[in-house]
DNA sequence: TATTGTTATACTCTATAACTATA
DNA sequence: TATAGTTATAGAGTATAACAATA
């Protein structure tokens, strides 16, 4: 099956590249994901920060940036935004006065819960073509890819 | 297994989202892919165009842009670059004088063959953790995701 | 009227480098 | 010396809108 069913174009050189197919699949999912985030007034990037701090309260900005694989300079405006929304707060770190410890406010916890439910709902509406085994297997393989990269 | 093995951070809210894991996996692969392209003096975006025109000679710029899901305005500079490299050429279309038909030069065909081999090599070096069945299954699932999105 | 290629423009995302205050 | 947060800035990638030539 070297030919795309819909427009008669031969994608074979790309369709056999996992890198390319990951990109296309990610673009497809990103639309769903971004739409779910937008519905709650947020962006995919900010969702990642909320999700990390939700489960790991007290991390520094740099720790979060490194967990998400983005530069720490990108955190400043992002945390500013989240503080403006009153869902996150910077607290002066006790032992190291250079850094902040990040925490969700009560509002932020409720917000993240609701956001997370919205994202899960939208994704599972979209995932009718995957059964539970497929889903689990896919997540496992994707995690293996991510971990493999870390070891270069 | 809700915790990342390497840095002690709890990723569970993200690690169960296919959208997020696709993004991380894609980032991991993108590095490999971009590096292979760079080795041949090209970018991932240009690889996509070469791969489509290689298998579908004579397409218009708009047809290629739509095959790759990018705006047609982005094609202009890209095709300019490929013509500069003497790997692709615009030929005036016979029946529609508004459009160009795109073709690889002989040099472009050889270039794309070599490029494709380099990409395949780099990817398979990286894919030691996937057996052939895994690989095929993954490609099939990713294709299903892409196709599902087209039907909204 | 609609479409092709084109241009100008803007926007998002991200990385880099330099600064400050702390360590 | 090194690190945390910050700022300014620049680059890549992509989208939007408008225009001329052609359909």
């Amino acid at each position: 099956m070297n030919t795309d069913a819909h427009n008669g174009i031969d994608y074979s050189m790309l369709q056999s590249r996992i890198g390319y197919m990951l990109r296309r699949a990610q673009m497809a999912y990103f639309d769903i994901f971004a739409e779910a985030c937008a519905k709650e007034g947020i962006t995919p990037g900010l969702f990642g920060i909320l999700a990390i701090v939700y489960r790991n309260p007290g991390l520094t900005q740099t720790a979060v940036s490194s967990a998400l694989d983005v530069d720490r300079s990108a955190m400043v405006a992002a945390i500013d935004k989240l503080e403006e929304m009153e869902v996150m707060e910077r607290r002066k770190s006790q032992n190291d006065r250079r850094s902040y410890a990040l925490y969700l406010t009560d509002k932020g916890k409720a917000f993240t819960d609701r956001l997370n439910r919205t994202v899960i709902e939208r994704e599972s509406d979209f995932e009718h073509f995957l059964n539970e085994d497929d889903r689990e297997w896919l997540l496992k393989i994707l995690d293996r890819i991510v971990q493999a990269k870390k070891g270069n």
Side-chain angles (χ1 to χ4, degrees), chain A:
Chain A
M1 189 192 38
N2 285 337
T3 299
D4 184 278
H6 298 290
N7 57 16
I9 287 181
D10 182 347
Y11 284 89
S12 55
M13 198 175 278
L14 296 171
Q15 230 159 8
S16 56
R17 295 301 100 231
I18 291 181
Y20 178 78
M21 292 306 290
L22 280 171
R23 179 166 162 268
R24 294 301 293 264
Q26 193 264 324
M27 286 168 63
Y29 253 90
F30 186 80
D31 287 349
I32 310 289
F33 183 51
E35 192 188 299
C37 288
K39 196 186 161 197
E40 305 292 339
I42 213 167
T43 62
L46 295 180
F47 176 87
I49 297 173
L50 288 173
I52 292 293
V53 176
Y54 185 100
R55 302 281 197 197
N56 307 271
L59 286 185
T60 64
Q61 294 185 190
T62 298
V64 174
S65 76
S66 129
L68 293 171
D69 251 337
V70 296
D71 194 86
R72 65 205 162 94
S73 68
M75 299 299 291
V76 182
I79 309 286
D80 285 351
K81 180 83 196 301
L82 293 171
E83 279 198 321
E84 237 172 72
M85 295 173 68
E86 299 178 328
V87 294
M88 190 174 288
E89 57 183 24
R90 292 174 168 101
R91 297 190 201 155
K92 279 282 179 203
S93 176
Q94 305 285 359
N95 30 345
D96 185 340
R97 287 184 309 177
R98 287 173 306 182
S99 65
Y100 295 110
L102 298 175
Y103 293 91
L104 294 190
T105 62
D106 288 342
K107 183 180 169 185
K109 286 173 197 163
F111 179 81
T112 305
D113 279 330
R114 188 173 61 251
L115 179 61
N116 194 40
R117 277 197 303 275
T118 302
V119 169
I120 290 173
E121 274 168 30
R122 292 287 179 109
E123 283 200 358
S124 57
D125 282 352
F126 175 63
E127 282 164 7
H128 58 270
F129 53 89
L130 291 180
N131 65 37
E132 197 44 49
D133 284 348
D134 287 339
R135 215 188 104 82
E136 242 175 76
W137 194 93
L138 178 57
L139 284 172
K140 208 179 66 186
I141 291 283
L142 294 176
D143 193 51
R144 237 193 270 165
I145 291 172
V146 173
Q147 298 305 329
K149 188 53 183 12
K150 289 186 181 172
N152 289 358

